[in-house]
Amino acid sequence: MKLKKQVQLAGGEEILLRSLCAADAKAALDLCRKTAGETMYMSRYADEWTITQEEEAQYIAKMECNPKALMLGAFVSGSLAGIASFVPPSPVDRMRHRATLGICILRAYWGRGIGSALMQALIDAAKGTALEQLELEVVSSNERAIRLYERFGFAEFARHPRKMKYRDGRYADMAQMMLDLRR
């Protein structure tokens, strides 16, 4: 699926939301590695992003061709500031009504409305498909992200205790949230 649109944020700043393409692979990987180092809420450490640029380009190309998947980049003055996506977890008939959502934004761009713009664009695009629900997982102590998701209608439906274990031995619970697109 492809999307491209200019969005004006609450403070008047203009950003470009567009589907990532294979040429964005390096910038996407750089962003993922950097965001993983900026917060403990990501599922991987920065050094665990071992995918090659070629592999990322292939993945992005597959996302572009999937009518039930979308990988969006938020560009501020031409620079990639955030990525958000949804993708069905499985191609089998019994799972085709669902998609898993993910989002990451560079810390320098937090609090500017980019997360809200990405969420709205993803939800609008998902509603234009045969998808019936979007699902996500979030570290249960990530109150900022949870507030964002709840503002867009996501509700927690389960909690997975100790789903993540940090290298220092601490654990984090994951909240599982869902948005019913049929409403």
Side-chain angles (χ1 to χ4, degrees), residues 140-156:
S140 62
S141 61
N142 190 347
E143 296 172 5
R144 182 184 189 116
I146 290 170
R147 281 194 308 273
L148 172 70
Y149 304 143
E150 287 175 342
R151 202 167 58 243
F152 283 92
F154 282 82
E156 183 175 331

Side-chain angles (χ1 to χ4, degrees), residues 39-43 100-104 119 134-150 154-164 166 171-178:
T39 177
M40 293 300 289
Y41 296 131
M42 302 297 286
S43 61
T100 304
L101 184 144
I103 185 169
C104 61
M119 289 295 292
L134 292 175
E135 302 167 3
L136 61 85
E137 285 189 320
V138 58
V139 174
S140 62
S141 61
N142 190 347
E143 296 172 5
R144 182 184 189 116
I146 290 170
R147 281 194 308 273
L148 172 70
Y149 304 143
E150 287 175 342
F154 282 82
E156 183 175 331
F157 68 89
R159 205 164 271 233
H160 191 146
R162 296 173 19 145
K163 182 151 186 188
M164 287 198 328
Y166 297 110
Y171 293 92
D173 295 350
M174 296 292 277
Q176 296 174 324
M177 303 181 78
M178 184 193 77

Side-chain angles (χ1 to χ4, degrees), residues 4-83:
K4 182 177 181 177
K5 69 184 210 174
Q6 289 287 135
V7 174
Q8 185 171 9
L9 303 179
E13 183 176 24
E14 291 266 334
I15 64 168
L16 173 65
L17 299 182
R18 71 162 171 82
S19 300
L20 294 184
C21 61
D24 297 312
K26 182 182 182 327
L29 282 174
D30 289 347
L31 182 138
C32 290
R33 287 182 183 114
K34 187 167 184 182
T35 58
E38 292 179 333
T39 177
M40 293 300 289
Y41 296 131
M42 302 297 286
S43 61
R44 301 179 201 190
Y45 286 100
D47 63 357
E48 293 178 313
W49 281 95
T50 58
I51 185 172
T52 67
Q53 186 174 329
E54 182 178 312
E55 290 168 331
E56 180 71 0
Q58 291 170 358
Y59 178 75
I60 291 170
K62 279 177 52 177
M63 291 283 283
E64 278 187 288
C65 296
N66 187 337
K68 286 189 179 179
L70 178 61
M71 182 179 275
L72 274 183
F75 293 85
V76 177
S77 301
S79 295
L80 186 60
I83 297 173

Side-chain angles (χ1 to χ4, degrees), residues 67-68 96-98 125-133 181:
K68 286 189 179 179
R96 286 187 186 167
H97 67 292
R98 305 167 44 229
K127 285 181 177 178
T129 70
L131 292 170
E132 296 178 15
Q133 65 192 49
L181 296 171

